[in-house]
Amino acid sequence: MTTLVDALVVGAGFGGLRTLHTLRSQGFSVAVLEAGDDIGGVWQFNQYPGARCDVESYDYSYRFSPELEQEWRWSERYATQPEILRYINHVADRFDLRRDIELRTRMERATFDEATARWIVEASDGRRWNAEKLILAVGQLSTPKDTRYPGQDDFTGRVISSARWPKDKVDFAGKRVAIIGTGSSGVQMTPVIASDAAHLTVFQRTANYSIPAANAPVTDAEDRAVKADYPARREAARNSPSGLGFVPDNRAAIDVPEAERNAAFETAWNRLGFGFALTFKDILLDQQSNDTASAFIRGKIAEQVDDPDLRAKLTPGDFPFGTRRPSVDSGYFTAFNRPNVSLVDISETPIERFTEHGIRTTDAEYPFDLVIYATGFDAFTGSLLKPQIVGRGGCTLREKWSAGPVSFLGIGVHGFPNMFVIVGPGSPSLLSNVLLSTEEQVDWLAALFDHCRRAGINQIEATEAAERDWVAHVNKRAQETLYPKTPSYYLGAEIPGKPRVFMPYSGGVRGYRRILEKTAAKGYEGLTLR
Ligand code: N01
């Protein structure tokens, strides 16, 4: 049996739910396929201890409903994963979204049928959908890297992935625990597990910069103040470079007298979290200015770590701050002052293998009851390339993106009519408050779909020229920044053999929105509508 819908959305995380709500409100019939056994996307899968958002709660929340904005009460400045998941579930109930969501349903294949200009979508259980529009809201960090060391099957303890955290409570009391990986996931869980475990060993390959979250409970007065003028907060976020609401000091950091610059860094360090990168306008653009920020953070890390040897190992090396995504932490560095926490620098003594009782590096064997992989994701493209997506002329998305993802505006792909990607590569995506970027794109698509419906258009496709120009523009903007200097998942460096292409759009959410608006104002220039 084939179910006929106007739009088939893949993924029931923040992006998929917003798309469902908006398109349904416009009168389109929508089905959402979700591989997981519940809604929430990454917030469903990443239930590790200490998981929380590094964008402030009031900004990492939907803006589409003023009633929702007023009725939801965030308890902390940076919400924990359970609170975010409660919010997502509240939204799903409040807007009656569940009835159009198929859980435990993985899209295996989508094929564009040229005769009807519709997508034939097949799930792994054999069910089929026939949809005019295929909307991929599969997330940018939703396919975990499949890290596996030799000998893992011999290990008699438990192995857990941070990105597929088990639903049952994991008890750390009395246990010897290992964390492999020191990105945001490892950094967030370290202090929490350290306070429970008998011993925690963190295996670090690359020391990264981390800024304190400065988390705090939200007081009633703060809540009232935000809600009294929520539209102004939203507008500030939309007009800030990353969608966080911070506008940088418009001077080059290097031009500011040292004492004044350090005072500004100090203020940002104590309050801004991720926004520290926006203290001055050129921290991510100019090496010398970046050096001032990097040196400041290195000094702050040193102040937090007692042991000189540990301090040296935990201090990030010779790459510019922010060119790998920095973490936002709550007691990461000070956790290493505890007697039950140790660090193994696997850039010096790499892991060789798991053994029956633990992990062996090139210079020692460490016994464990539990090993946690926090080794990250196949970022940006992992989940988009997992299903077989077949466009016009039998060309697959995997073939089309074999040298790296190409798109127009990060939304449409030439050769794949009526297929749309939400916060995909080529859009501000992970360089922005992703939820804000999601809503910008969904609103833009909703207007495009409405325009096409009125005009009797049923095929929307990026032109080859527009796609080429957009890719060139994304690359040009990236080259103006320091990002390409450092191997990172922004560049595809997290997976051996992955094409080295800078994937997110670094031109900022405001600049990106203006381009979206201009495209629409010019009759959706760059898209073929027929
Ligand atoms: O993953 P990562 P993550 N052996 O890729 C190491 C978002 N997020 O899950 O750098 C040993 O950042 C790897 O080392 P190296 C956020 O956007 C947000 O922590 O490759 N180690 C690195 O240390 C974040 O950036 C929140 O040398 C290996 C780590 O594992 C993104 O998700 C919370 C290895 C991976 O770090 C990803 O974060 C959590 C191996 N084989 C995540 N392979 C919020 O706060 C990799 N590593 C919202």
Side-chain angles (χ1 to χ4, degrees):
M1 200 190 87
T2 301
T3 306
L4 212 63
V5 285
D6 295 323
L8 192 287
V9 178
V10 189
F14 268 113
L17 297 184
R18 171 73 210 268
T19 309
L20 165 60
H21 174 68
T22 301
L23 297 191
R24 201 162 74 182
S25 312
Q26 283 183 306
F28 292 109
S29 59
V30 187
V32 180
L33 310 190
E34 167 56 52
D37 58 12
D38 212 336
I39 62 170
V42 290
W43 297 108
Q44 178 62 237
F45 293 117
N46 289 256
Q47 302 205 3
Y48 61 81
R52 63 171 79 236
C53 190
D54 56 9
V55 174
E56 291 198 26
S57 311
Y58 288 101
D59 302 306
Y60 194 80
S61 55
Y62 287 122
R63 67 164 192 237
F64 69 84
S65 162
E67 296 78 23
L68 175 65
E69 282 178 336
Q70 291 299 322
E71 75 199 16
W72 186 264
R73 171 70 163 88
W74 292 107
S75 68
E76 290 178 84
R77 190 180 285 162
Y78 296 95
T80 59
Q81 172 274 332
E83 186 168 14
I84 296 171
L85 200 53
R86 278 200 299 281
Y87 173 78
I88 294 171
N89 278 285
H90 170 76
V91 172
D93 293 333
R94 170 106 172 45
F95 298 96
D96 188 23
L97 300 180
R98 291 182 206 275
R99 66 185 156 92
D100 287 325
I101 302 172
E102 302 287 335
L103 298 175
R104 291 173 285 277
T105 305
R106 179 175 290 285
M107 177 175 88
E108 193 137 292
R109 190 179 170 90
T111 310
F112 184 68
D113 176 41
E114 294 181 46
T116 58
R118 294 179 70 91
W119 286 90
I120 313 298
V121 174
E122 295 162 69
S124 45
D125 61 6
R127 282 180 298 157
R128 288 160 73 98
W129 285 261
N130 178 310
E132 184 175 282
K133 298 172 178 67
L134 174 64
I135 298 165
L136 304 170
V138 293
Q140 316 76 39
L141 296 163
S142 44
T143 295
K145 263 176 67 171
D146 190 15
T147 314
R148 214 181 152 76
Y149 280 101
Q152 201 173 301
D153 290 340
D154 304 337
F155 178 54
T156 50
R158 189 172 180 189
V159 179
I160 298 178
S161 160
S162 63
R164 290 290 178 269
W165 197 261
K167 292 274 166 66
D168 61 300
K169 184 175 175 337
V170 180
D171 189 8
F172 300 103
K175 301 238 166 63
R176 297 159 303 174
V177 181
I179 297 175
I180 304 176
T182 54
S184 296
S185 304
V187 162
Q188 284 185 338
M189 69 176 81
T190 290
V192 183
I193 296 177
S195 65
D196 278 356
H199 195 91
L200 172 66
T201 306
V202 176
F203 289 86
Q204 170 192 278
R205 196 162 67 178
T206 310
N208 199 5
Y209 297 92
S210 184
I211 314 290
N215 189 34
V218 174
T219 64
D220 287 340
E222 285 167 336
D223 184 62
R224 273 196 305 274
V226 173
K227 288 175 177 172
D229 200 3
Y230 222 142
R233 186 172 177 119
R234 298 297 194 185
E235 271 315 289
R238 292 180 86 205
N239 288 303
S240 65
S242 307
L244 299 170
F246 313 125
V247 176
D249 186 318
N250 206 25
R251 291 171 294 173
I254 199 71
D255 292 343
V256 177
E258 190 180 350
E260 186 187 344
R261 184 174 63 228
N262 282 337
F265 283 149
E266 186 70 35
T267 305
W269 178 264
N270 290 321
R271 179 61 180 86
L272 288 191
F274 196 62
F276 182 91
L278 300 166
T279 316
F280 296 98
K281 70 166 185 189
D282 65 343
I283 287 178
L284 291 164
L285 304 177
D286 180 82
Q287 181 68 58
Q288 276 185 298
S289 285
N290 188 289
D291 288 345
T292 65
S294 300
F296 180 89
I297 301 172
R298 289 194 190 106
K300 283 292 186 188
I301 293 172
E303 283 172 18
Q304 296 174 75
V305 185
D306 298 340
D307 178 80
D309 183 45
L310 265 177
R311 194 184 301 150
K313 287 184 160 68
L314 285 163
T315 301
D318 52 0
F319 64 92
F321 161 70
T323 53
R324 297 156 51 86
R325 196 176 195 281
S327 300
V328 174
D329 72 276
S330 302
Y332 174 65
F333 294 108
T334 51
F336 289 93
N337 298 332
R338 298 175 62 111
N340 70 330
V341 178
S342 44
L343 182 83
V344 177
D345 184 341
I346 53 172
S347 68
E348 287 174 0
T349 56
I351 295 175
E352 282 186 342
R353 57 180 295 113
F354 278 63
T355 61
E356 191 184 345
H357 298 297
I359 289 177
R360 194 164 73 215
T361 65
T362 48
D363 80 335
E365 181 165 346
Y366 302 86
F368 295 115
D369 303 300
L370 179 62
V371 174
I372 300 165
Y373 278 121
T375 50
F377 300 85
D378 181 353
F380 294 101
T381 52
S383 297
L384 289 166
L385 296 179
K386 218 188 280 176
Q388 177 78 314
I389 300 179
V390 187
R392 220 162 8 82
C395 177
T396 66
L397 192 61
R398 288 180 204 150
E399 288 161 356
K400 170 98 186 184
W401 284 8
S402 58
V406 292
S407 70
F408 175 50
L409 303 173
I411 296 177
V413 181
H414 178 67
F416 295 78
N418 293 354
M419 183 187 89
F420 308 94
V421 184
I422 304 296
V423 282
S427 78
S429 182
L430 294 177
L431 294 183
S432 69
N433 169 358
V434 177
L435 192 41
L436 181 145
S437 291
T438 297
E439 295 203 88
E440 294 289 356
Q441 288 189 334
V442 174
D443 286 338
W444 187 81
L445 281 173
L448 168 65
F449 296 164
D450 189 48
H451 166 83
C452 290
R453 182 167 53 184
R454 286 169 200 274
I457 288 161
N458 67 358
Q459 234 188 109
I460 304 168
E461 182 180 358
T463 68
E464 203 167 4
E467 183 177 88
R468 200 176 41 242
D469 290 350
W470 182 250
V471 171
H473 177 64
V474 170
N475 287 331
K476 180 166 171 283
R477 297 311 302 260
Q479 290 307 327
E480 292 162 5
T481 73
L482 298 173
Y483 287 114
K485 286 190 163 221
T486 308
S488 71
Y489 68 65
Y490 297 139
L491 266 172
E494 79 285 15
I495 307 268
K498 190 166 167 173
R500 290 286 180 103
V501 174
F502 191 77
M503 285 179 275
Y505 177 60
S506 56
V509 299
R510 181 161 183 249
Y512 179 74
R513 189 182 80 243
R514 287 183 165 172
I515 293 171
L516 289 183
E517 286 167 354
K518 214 158 80 187
T519 303
K522 289 184 169 175
Y524 296 100
E525 190 179 54
L527 294 173
T528 302
L529 307 179
R530 58 176 176 263

